[in-house]
Amino acid sequence: QTAIQLDADGTLAVDKVVYFEDLNGGLADVFAAIGRPMPPIERRNARRTGDDYRTHFDAEALELFDLRFGSDVALWGYDFETGLPQVLR
Protein backbone atom coordinates (compact mmCIF):
# COMPACT_ATOMS: atom_id res chain seq x y z
CA GLN A 1 0.00 0.00 0.00
CA THR A 2 2.86 2.38 0.59
CA ALA A 3 3.32 2.60 -3.19
CA ILE A 4 -0.06 4.34 -3.54
CA GLN A 5 0.05 6.30 -0.27
CA LEU A 6 3.35 8.09 -0.78
CA ASP A 7 4.25 10.55 -3.50
CA ALA A 8 7.42 10.36 -5.61
CA ASP A 9 9.42 12.04 -2.83
CA GLY A 10 8.25 9.51 -0.24
CA THR A 11 5.95 12.03 1.43
CA LEU A 12 2.54 10.93 2.66
CA ALA A 13 0.09 11.91 -0.08
CA VAL A 14 -2.96 12.50 2.14
CA ASP A 15 -3.94 15.20 4.62
CA LYS A 16 -5.35 12.91 7.30
CA VAL A 17 -4.95 9.26 8.19
CA VAL A 18 -8.00 7.59 9.69
CA TYR A 19 -7.30 4.30 11.41
CA PHE A 20 -9.99 1.67 11.18
CA GLU A 21 -9.51 0.94 14.87
CA ASP A 22 -10.70 4.50 15.59
CA LEU A 23 -12.98 5.01 12.61
CA ASN A 24 -15.60 7.09 14.42
CA GLY A 25 -13.03 9.39 16.02
CA GLY A 26 -11.00 9.82 12.84
CA LEU A 27 -14.02 10.52 10.67
CA ALA A 28 -15.39 12.95 13.27
CA ASP A 29 -12.14 14.92 12.89
CA VAL A 30 -12.44 14.88 9.08
CA PHE A 31 -16.06 16.03 9.07
CA ALA A 32 -15.30 18.75 11.63
CA ALA A 33 -12.40 19.96 9.47
CA ILE A 34 -14.64 20.32 6.43
CA GLY A 35 -17.50 21.83 8.41
CA ARG A 36 -20.00 19.07 7.77
CA PRO A 37 -22.05 17.00 10.20
CA MET A 38 -20.87 13.42 10.48
CA PRO A 39 -23.46 10.87 9.43
CA PRO A 40 -24.02 7.94 11.76
CA ILE A 41 -21.91 4.90 11.05
CA GLU A 42 -23.76 1.64 11.39
CA ARG A 43 -21.80 -1.38 12.48
CA ARG A 44 -22.43 -4.32 10.16
CA ASN A 45 -21.07 -7.82 9.82
CA ALA A 46 -19.09 -7.39 13.02
CA ARG A 47 -17.88 -10.70 14.26
CA ARG A 48 -15.29 -11.51 16.86
CA THR A 49 -14.16 -15.08 17.04
CA GLY A 50 -11.92 -14.48 20.04
CA ASP A 51 -9.20 -15.95 17.88
CA ASP A 52 -5.74 -14.43 18.39
CA TYR A 53 -4.43 -13.63 14.90
CA ARG A 54 -0.87 -14.27 16.07
CA THR A 55 -1.59 -18.00 16.42
CA HIS A 56 -1.91 -18.22 12.63
CA PHE A 57 1.70 -17.14 12.08
CA ASP A 58 4.61 -19.51 12.36
CA ALA A 59 8.12 -18.16 11.74
CA GLU A 60 7.89 -18.72 7.98
CA ALA A 61 4.47 -17.08 7.65
CA LEU A 62 5.63 -14.11 9.70
CA GLU A 63 8.69 -13.72 7.50
CA LEU A 64 6.55 -13.85 4.32
CA PHE A 65 4.09 -11.35 5.79
CA ASP A 66 6.96 -9.03 6.71
CA LEU A 67 8.44 -9.27 3.21
CA ARG A 68 5.12 -8.31 1.62
CA PHE A 69 3.63 -5.90 4.17
CA GLY A 70 6.57 -4.84 6.35
CA SER A 71 6.78 -1.35 4.83
CA ASP A 72 3.05 -0.80 5.44
CA VAL A 73 3.31 -1.99 9.03
CA ALA A 74 6.28 0.31 9.64
CA LEU A 75 4.71 3.33 7.90
CA TRP A 76 1.53 3.16 9.95
CA GLY A 77 3.28 2.22 13.20
CA TYR A 78 1.53 -1.09 13.82
CA ASP A 79 2.89 -3.56 16.31
CA PHE A 80 2.53 -7.32 15.82
CA GLU A 81 2.12 -8.02 19.53
CA THR A 82 -0.68 -5.53 20.20
CA GLY A 83 -2.16 -5.33 16.71
CA LEU A 84 -2.53 -1.58 17.16
CA PRO A 85 -0.74 1.39 15.68
CA GLN A 86 1.40 3.43 18.09
CA VAL A 87 -0.95 6.41 17.86
CA LEU A 88 -3.78 4.37 19.39
CA ARG A 89 -1.86 2.58 22.16
Side-chain angles (χ1 to χ4, degrees), residues 19 21 53-54 62 65 72-74 76-87 89:
Y19 287 89
E21 295 85 355
Y53 68 90
R54 294 172 293 182
L62 187 56
F65 180 87
D72 297 326
V73 171
W76 303 116
Y78 279 88
D79 176 70
F80 183 75
E81 291 305 315
T82 65
L84 294 172
Q86 286 181 324
V87 298
R89 280 187 252 150

Side-chain angles (χ1 to χ4, degrees), residues 37-54:
M38 183 173 145
I41 297 177
E42 185 179 333
R43 189 172 177 161
R44 293 186 178 183
N45 294 331
R47 184 177 75 142
R48 291 291 263 174
T49 63
D51 203 7
D52 184 343
Y53 68 90
R54 294 172 293 182

Side-chain angles (χ1 to χ4, degrees), residues 5 8 11 17-18 22 24-25 29 40 43 48 52 61-62 73-74 79:
Q5 297 163 341
T11 304
V17 174
V18 175
D22 184 35
N24 282 325
D29 292 344
R43 189 172 177 161
R48 291 291 263 174
D52 184 343
L62 187 56
V73 171
D79 176 70

Side-chain angles (χ1 to χ4, degrees), residues 5-13:
Q5 297 163 341
L6 303 176
D7 65 18
D9 298 326
T11 304
L12 192 57

